[in-house]
Amino acid sequence: MIVEKLDILSLKNLVEVPLKKVETLEAENAQLRAENAALREQLNKKSHNSHKPPSSDGYGKKAALPQSKGKKNGGQFGHEGRTLKMITTPDQTIVHHALSCSCCQKIFLPSDVQKIGQKRQVFDLPELRLIVTEHQEGLIICCGKVHKGNFPEAIGQPVQYGSKIRALSVLLNNDYKLPFEKIEQLFADIYGCSYNESTAISHNKVMYEALAPLEQEIVDKIIASNVVHFDEIGMRVQGKLHWFHTASTPSYTYLFVHPKRGKLALHSEQSLLPWFKNWAVHDCWQSYFEFKDCSHALCNAHIIRELQALSDNGSKWATEMRYFLIDLFEKTLKATQILQNKDFWLQQFKLLCQNADTEEPQPVQGKKGRAKNSKGRNLLNRLVAHQDGILAFAFLQDIPFTNNQAERDIRCLKTKQKVATSFRTFDGAQQYARIQSAISTFRKLNINIFQTLIDVFDKKNVDLDYA
């Protein structure tokens, strides 16, 4: 009997050892599968299913939203072209005539020309040189006293650059992202003048200070708008990460820079949100929801990308929800018309959310902290919590489908980053934000940017309402 009991115990030990190994291998296998899935998910991220920029897609770029098909390449019917057209009063006229008669060999003179046949016009740059204007102080002696003339207010130095070259420097550096040393080189190559970096920097500062009243006017007009787009983007300033924030409409642009992205920046004195009362369009950054006085409309392009990522990993509800939002987008003629049967579409949205709730796994409680949700459930929770902001484009006039307006207005920072990589000083970043805000606004209002910058240097009034 003792021998039999020993045999049974030894057999149990023999069985338990491989069972423990199997459990260990199964746990390792599950961990490796999870790591493999996470790596595959990261590898499959593109601009259409994540927040990665389109430039990271290489030659495999795809449109974020459905594009209309069937159009021919080039300009479409009814499009007003901008090709060169002949003018009636050219600056210079040159007549080309035959040198001699092919019959009698008579030599022709310009006075022999009787009619003009074909005309061809060449558009080119004028002679590129600096024009020097000398301002002299006129002295008049009357009643035994010398009376002096007054120089214009803008002319305060014995030798200085005029408002045109200063406006061009500001435009090249800010809107065209040309570094200061390149501006210096450009003026030396074209005009042969020694326009150095410190001079260009000082002109940026003068423009920044002169634009302060105009910036306040832009801020007031944006705050009074019914729909305003908000966004932010990171960039290094003085070697540290800072954030450029934008508030924009189709007519006005406002930019400011702040060391923080969230609450501290949005509640700062530079921010517009504490005073804004209407519809704010943004990408669901949680800090925006701190402001209760305004209504929130969310960017559906961001949501569609997240749904696409879930759909790529086999999520059925994400595929259906993505088709639902795109269908609404098309039925509203790209968010230009509103739908009347609101209750029907809200019911469809609710059913899709219910299906998602059954499909997504329940939160998993770890050893510490809150239960962990899957990415799909996190997105579902946002869809349910912000239903009104997501569907606002379909039922309210002038609410857009995406936050593309703000993204276009802040995209200039990415170009600036590629050219200059960063801002060396915080003052330089502030100057860029204000000057770029004004230039973007001028362009939206079809105001001549170069002439307006000249007017600002000359201390002339710039009327945004007149545009």
Side-chain angles (χ1 to χ4, degrees), residues 265-298:
L266 299 182
H267 284 276
S268 67
E269 60 181 9
Q270 299 103 308
S271 176
L272 275 60
L273 279 165
W275 296 274
F276 185 63
K277 309 298 182 183
N278 298 317
W279 279 93
V281 186
H282 53 82
D283 56 5
C284 206
W285 177 242
Q286 188 60 38
S287 298
Y288 287 114
F289 295 104
E290 293 284 324
F291 300 91
K292 308 298 183 182
D293 292 338
C294 63
S295 302
H296 298 271
L298 303 189

Short mmCIF file of all heavy atoms in Angstrom, two decimals, residues 265-298:
data_model
loop_
_atom_site.label_atom_id
_atom_site.label_comp_id
_atom_site.label_asym_id
_atom_site.label_seq_id
_atom_site.Cartn_x
_atom_site.Cartn_y
_atom_site.Cartn_z
N ALA A 265 -3.10 77.71 -20.63
CA ALA A 265 -3.07 78.51 -21.85
C ALA A 265 -4.46 79.00 -22.23
O ALA A 265 -4.65 80.17 -22.57
CB ALA A 265 -2.48 77.68 -22.99
N LEU A 266 -5.45 78.11 -22.15
CA LEU A 266 -6.80 78.46 -22.59
C LEU A 266 -7.49 79.42 -21.63
O LEU A 266 -8.44 80.10 -22.01
CB LEU A 266 -7.63 77.18 -22.76
CG LEU A 266 -7.10 76.19 -23.80
CD1 LEU A 266 -8.03 74.99 -23.91
CD2 LEU A 266 -6.92 76.85 -25.16
N HIS A 267 -7.02 79.50 -20.38
CA HIS A 267 -7.57 80.46 -19.42
C HIS A 267 -6.71 81.71 -19.31
O HIS A 267 -7.03 82.59 -18.50
CB HIS A 267 -7.69 79.81 -18.04
CG HIS A 267 -8.85 78.86 -17.92
ND1 HIS A 267 -10.13 79.28 -17.64
CD2 HIS A 267 -8.91 77.51 -18.06
CE1 HIS A 267 -10.93 78.23 -17.59
NE2 HIS A 267 -10.22 77.14 -17.84
N SER A 268 -5.64 81.80 -20.08
CA SER A 268 -4.75 82.95 -19.98
C SER A 268 -5.38 84.19 -20.61
O SER A 268 -6.41 84.11 -21.30
CB SER A 268 -3.42 82.64 -20.69
OG SER A 268 -3.62 82.50 -22.09
N GLU A 269 -4.76 85.34 -20.41
CA GLU A 269 -5.31 86.59 -20.93
C GLU A 269 -5.21 86.67 -22.46
O GLU A 269 -5.93 87.44 -23.08
CB GLU A 269 -4.58 87.77 -20.30
CG GLU A 269 -3.08 87.79 -20.58
CD GLU A 269 -2.39 88.97 -19.93
OE1 GLU A 269 -3.05 89.67 -19.12
OE2 GLU A 269 -1.21 89.20 -20.23
N GLN A 270 -4.33 85.86 -23.06
CA GLN A 270 -4.24 85.87 -24.53
C GLN A 270 -5.36 85.07 -25.19
O GLN A 270 -5.68 85.27 -26.35
CB GLN A 270 -2.90 85.28 -24.99
CG GLN A 270 -1.69 86.04 -24.50
CD GLN A 270 -1.02 85.32 -23.37
OE1 GLN A 270 -1.68 84.96 -22.39
NE2 GLN A 270 0.27 85.09 -23.47
N SER A 271 -5.97 84.14 -24.44
CA SER A 271 -6.98 83.26 -25.00
C SER A 271 -8.31 83.99 -25.20
O SER A 271 -8.66 84.91 -24.44
CB SER A 271 -7.18 82.05 -24.08
OG SER A 271 -8.23 81.22 -24.56
N LEU A 272 -9.07 83.54 -26.20
CA LEU A 272 -10.39 84.11 -26.50
C LEU A 272 -11.51 83.34 -25.84
O LEU A 272 -12.62 83.87 -25.69
CB LEU A 272 -10.63 84.14 -28.01
CG LEU A 272 -10.08 85.33 -28.81
CD1 LEU A 272 -8.57 85.43 -28.68
CD2 LEU A 272 -10.48 85.21 -30.27
N LEU A 273 -11.26 82.12 -25.44
CA LEU A 273 -12.33 81.25 -24.95
C LEU A 273 -13.05 81.77 -23.72
O LEU A 273 -14.26 81.57 -23.60
CB LEU A 273 -11.77 79.84 -24.69
CG LEU A 273 -11.64 78.96 -25.94
CD1 LEU A 273 -10.76 77.76 -25.66
CD2 LEU A 273 -13.02 78.52 -26.41
N PRO A 274 -12.39 82.41 -22.76
CA PRO A 274 -13.14 82.91 -21.59
C PRO A 274 -14.24 83.90 -21.94
O PRO A 274 -15.18 84.08 -21.17
CB PRO A 274 -12.05 83.57 -20.74
CG PRO A 274 -10.79 82.86 -21.12
CD PRO A 274 -10.93 82.57 -22.57
N TRP A 275 -14.15 84.55 -23.11
CA TRP A 275 -15.14 85.55 -23.50
C TRP A 275 -16.04 85.09 -24.65
O TRP A 275 -16.96 85.80 -25.04
CB TRP A 275 -14.44 86.85 -23.92
CG TRP A 275 -13.70 87.49 -22.79
CD1 TRP A 275 -14.19 88.35 -21.86
CD2 TRP A 275 -12.33 87.30 -22.45
NE1 TRP A 275 -13.23 88.71 -20.97
CE2 TRP A 275 -12.06 88.08 -21.31
CE3 TRP A 275 -11.29 86.56 -23.01
CZ2 TRP A 275 -10.81 88.14 -20.71
CZ3 TRP A 275 -10.05 86.61 -22.43
CH2 TRP A 275 -9.81 87.38 -21.29
N PHE A 276 -15.78 83.89 -25.15
CA PHE A 276 -16.54 83.42 -26.32
C PHE A 276 -17.82 82.72 -25.86
O PHE A 276 -17.79 81.88 -24.96
CB PHE A 276 -15.68 82.47 -27.14
CG PHE A 276 -16.33 82.02 -28.42
CD1 PHE A 276 -16.64 82.93 -29.42
CD2 PHE A 276 -16.63 80.68 -28.61
CE1 PHE A 276 -17.24 82.51 -30.60
CE2 PHE A 276 -17.23 80.25 -29.78
CZ PHE A 276 -17.53 81.16 -30.77
N LYS A 277 -18.95 83.02 -26.52
CA LYS A 277 -20.26 82.52 -26.08
C LYS A 277 -20.97 81.66 -27.12
O LYS A 277 -22.06 81.14 -26.83
CB LYS A 277 -21.18 83.70 -25.72
CG LYS A 277 -20.58 84.72 -24.76
CD LYS A 277 -20.25 84.11 -23.41
CE LYS A 277 -19.69 85.17 -22.46
NZ LYS A 277 -19.29 84.60 -21.16
N ASN A 278 -20.43 81.49 -28.30
CA ASN A 278 -21.15 80.80 -29.37
C ASN A 278 -20.58 79.40 -29.62
O ASN A 278 -20.20 78.72 -28.68
CB ASN A 278 -21.15 81.67 -30.62
CG ASN A 278 -21.86 82.99 -30.40
OD1 ASN A 278 -22.92 83.05 -29.78
ND2 ASN A 278 -21.27 84.08 -30.87
N TRP A 279 -20.47 78.98 -30.87
CA TRP A 279 -20.05 77.60 -31.19
C TRP A 279 -18.53 77.54 -31.36
O TRP A 279 -17.97 78.22 -32.23
CB TRP A 279 -20.73 77.11 -32.46
CG TRP A 279 -22.13 76.62 -32.21
CD1 TRP A 279 -23.29 77.34 -32.32
CD2 TRP A 279 -22.50 75.30 -31.81
NE1 TRP A 279 -24.37 76.55 -32.00
CE2 TRP A 279 -23.92 75.28 -31.68
CE3 TRP A 279 -21.80 74.14 -31.53
CZ2 TRP A 279 -24.62 74.15 -31.31
CZ3 TRP A 279 -22.51 73.00 -31.15
CH2 TRP A 279 -23.89 73.01 -31.04
N ALA A 280 -17.90 76.70 -30.56
CA ALA A 280 -16.46 76.46 -30.66
C ALA A 280 -16.24 75.10 -31.31
O ALA A 280 -16.72 74.08 -30.82
CB ALA A 280 -15.82 76.50 -29.28
N VAL A 281 -15.50 75.09 -32.42
CA VAL A 281 -15.20 73.84 -33.14
C VAL A 281 -13.77 73.44 -32.80
O VAL A 281 -12.84 74.25 -32.95
CB VAL A 281 -15.35 74.04 -34.66
CG1 VAL A 281 -15.17 72.71 -35.38
CG2 VAL A 281 -16.71 74.65 -35.00
N HIS A 282 -13.59 72.20 -32.34
CA HIS A 282 -12.25 71.75 -31.97
C HIS A 282 -12.17 70.23 -32.08
O HIS A 282 -13.12 69.57 -32.51
CB HIS A 282 -11.90 72.21 -30.54
CG HIS A 282 -12.93 71.84 -29.51
ND1 HIS A 282 -12.98 70.60 -28.93
CD2 HIS A 282 -13.95 72.56 -28.96
CE1 HIS A 282 -13.98 70.56 -28.06
NE2 HIS A 282 -14.58 71.75 -28.06
N ASP A 283 -11.03 69.67 -31.67
CA ASP A 283 -10.75 68.24 -31.88
C ASP A 283 -10.97 67.41 -30.61
O ASP A 283 -10.35 66.37 -30.44
CB ASP A 283 -9.33 68.05 -32.38
CG ASP A 283 -8.30 68.67 -31.43
OD1 ASP A 283 -8.71 69.15 -30.35
OD2 ASP A 283 -7.11 68.66 -31.77
N CYS A 284 -11.83 67.87 -29.71
CA CYS A 284 -12.20 67.11 -28.51
C CYS A 284 -11.09 67.09 -27.45
O CYS A 284 -11.10 66.25 -26.56
CB CYS A 284 -12.61 65.67 -28.85
SG CYS A 284 -13.74 64.91 -27.66
N TRP A 285 -10.14 68.03 -27.53
CA TRP A 285 -9.15 68.18 -26.47
C TRP A 285 -9.89 68.55 -25.19
O TRP A 285 -10.66 69.50 -25.14
CB TRP A 285 -8.13 69.23 -26.85
CG TRP A 285 -7.09 69.56 -25.84
CD1 TRP A 285 -6.89 70.77 -25.25
CD2 TRP A 285 -6.08 68.70 -25.31
NE1 TRP A 285 -5.83 70.72 -24.37
CE2 TRP A 285 -5.31 69.46 -24.39
CE3 TRP A 285 -5.75 67.36 -25.52
CZ2 TRP A 285 -4.24 68.92 -23.69
CZ3 TRP A 285 -4.68 66.82 -24.82
CH2 TRP A 285 -3.94 67.59 -23.92
N GLN A 286 -9.68 67.76 -24.12
CA GLN A 286 -10.51 67.83 -22.93
C GLN A 286 -10.54 69.22 -22.31
O GLN A 286 -11.55 69.65 -21.74
CB GLN A 286 -10.02 66.81 -21.90
CG GLN A 286 -10.92 66.66 -20.69
CD GLN A 286 -12.34 66.21 -21.05
OE1 GLN A 286 -12.52 65.39 -21.95
NE2 GLN A 286 -13.33 66.74 -20.36
N SER A 287 -9.45 69.97 -22.41
CA SER A 287 -9.39 71.29 -21.78
C SER A 287 -10.42 72.26 -22.35
O SER A 287 -10.83 73.21 -21.66
CB SER A 287 -7.98 71.88 -21.94
OG SER A 287 -7.03 71.07 -21.29
N TYR A 288 -10.85 72.05 -23.59
CA TYR A 288 -11.84 72.96 -24.19
C TYR A 288 -13.18 72.87 -23.46
O TYR A 288 -13.92 73.85 -23.41
CB TYR A 288 -12.03 72.64 -25.67
CG TYR A 288 -10.88 73.06 -26.54
CD1 TYR A 288 -10.09 72.11 -27.20
CD2 TYR A 288 -10.57 74.40 -26.72
CE1 TYR A 288 -9.03 72.49 -28.01
CE2 TYR A 288 -9.51 74.79 -27.53
CZ TYR A 288 -8.75 73.82 -28.17
OH TYR A 288 -7.69 74.22 -28.97
N PHE A 289 -13.49 71.72 -22.92
CA PHE A 289 -14.80 71.52 -22.28
C PHE A 289 -14.88 72.20 -20.91
O PHE A 289 -15.92 72.17 -20.26
CB PHE A 289 -15.11 70.03 -22.15
CG PHE A 289 -15.28 69.36 -23.49
CD1 PHE A 289 -14.28 68.55 -24.00
CD2 PHE A 289 -16.44 69.53 -24.22
CE1 PHE A 289 -14.43 67.93 -25.23
CE2 PHE A 289 -16.60 68.91 -25.45
CZ PHE A 289 -15.59 68.11 -25.96
N GLU A 290 -13.76 72.82 -20.47
CA GLU A 290 -13.80 73.62 -19.25
C GLU A 290 -14.70 74.84 -19.40
O GLU A 290 -15.18 75.40 -18.42
CB GLU A 290 -12.38 74.07 -18.90
CG GLU A 290 -11.42 72.96 -18.51
CD GLU A 290 -11.68 72.46 -17.10
OE1 GLU A 290 -12.02 73.29 -16.23
OE2 GLU A 290 -11.56 71.24 -16.88
N PHE A 291 -14.93 75.25 -20.64
CA PHE A 291 -15.67 76.48 -20.91
C PHE A 291 -17.14 76.11 -21.17
O PHE A 291 -17.49 75.53 -22.20
CB PHE A 291 -15.06 77.21 -22.08
CG PHE A 291 -13.62 77.59 -21.84
CD1 PHE A 291 -12.59 76.74 -22.22
CD2 PHE A 291 -13.31 78.77 -21.19
CE1 PHE A 291 -11.27 77.07 -21.98
CE2 PHE A 291 -11.98 79.11 -20.94
CZ PHE A 291 -10.97 78.26 -21.33
N LYS A 292 -17.98 76.47 -20.22
CA LYS A 292 -19.39 76.09 -20.25
C LYS A 292 -20.28 77.12 -20.94
O LYS A 292 -21.43 76.83 -21.27
CB LYS A 292 -19.91 75.87 -18.82
CG LYS A 292 -19.06 74.92 -17.99
CD LYS A 292 -19.01 73.52 -18.57
CE LYS A 292 -18.20 72.58 -17.67
NZ LYS A 292 -18.11 71.22 -18.23
N ASP A 293 -19.77 78.33 -21.16
CA ASP A 293 -20.60 79.38 -21.73
C ASP A 293 -20.76 79.24 -23.24
O ASP A 293 -21.62 79.89 -23.84
CB ASP A 293 -20.02 80.77 -21.41
CG ASP A 293 -20.11 81.09 -19.94
OD1 ASP A 293 -20.97 80.48 -19.27
OD2 ASP A 293 -19.32 81.92 -19.46
N CYS A 294 -19.92 78.46 -23.89
CA CYS A 294 -20.02 78.26 -25.33
C CYS A 294 -20.45 76.83 -25.64
O CYS A 294 -20.34 75.94 -24.79
CB CYS A 294 -18.69 78.56 -26.02
SG CYS A 294 -17.33 77.47 -25.53
N SER A 295 -20.96 76.62 -26.85
CA SER A 295 -21.34 75.28 -27.31
C SER A 295 -20.15 74.67 -28.04
O SER A 295 -19.34 75.37 -28.65
CB SER A 295 -22.54 75.38 -28.24
OG SER A 295 -23.64 75.99 -27.59
N HIS A 296 -20.06 73.33 -28.00
CA HIS A 296 -18.90 72.65 -28.55
C HIS A 296 -19.30 71.75 -29.72
O HIS A 296 -20.15 70.87 -29.57
CB HIS A 296 -18.21 71.81 -27.47
CG HIS A 296 -17.69 72.62 -26.32
ND1 HIS A 296 -16.43 73.16 -26.30
CD2 HIS A 296 -18.29 73.02 -25.16
CE1 HIS A 296 -16.26 73.83 -25.18
NE2 HIS A 296 -17.37 73.76 -24.47
N ALA A 297 -18.70 72.00 -30.87
CA ALA A 297 -18.85 71.13 -32.05
C ALA A 297 -17.51 70.44 -32.29
O ALA A 297 -16.46 71.09 -32.26
CB ALA A 297 -19.27 71.94 -33.27
N LEU A 298 -17.55 69.13 -32.53
CA LEU A 298 -16.32 68.35 -32.65
C LEU A 298 -15.95 68.09 -34.10
O LEU A 298 -16.81 68.03 -34.98
CB LEU A 298 -16.47 67.03 -31.91
CG LEU A 298 -16.83 67.14 -30.42
CD1 LEU A 298 -16.74 65.78 -29.76
CD2 LEU A 298 -15.93 68.14 -29.71
#
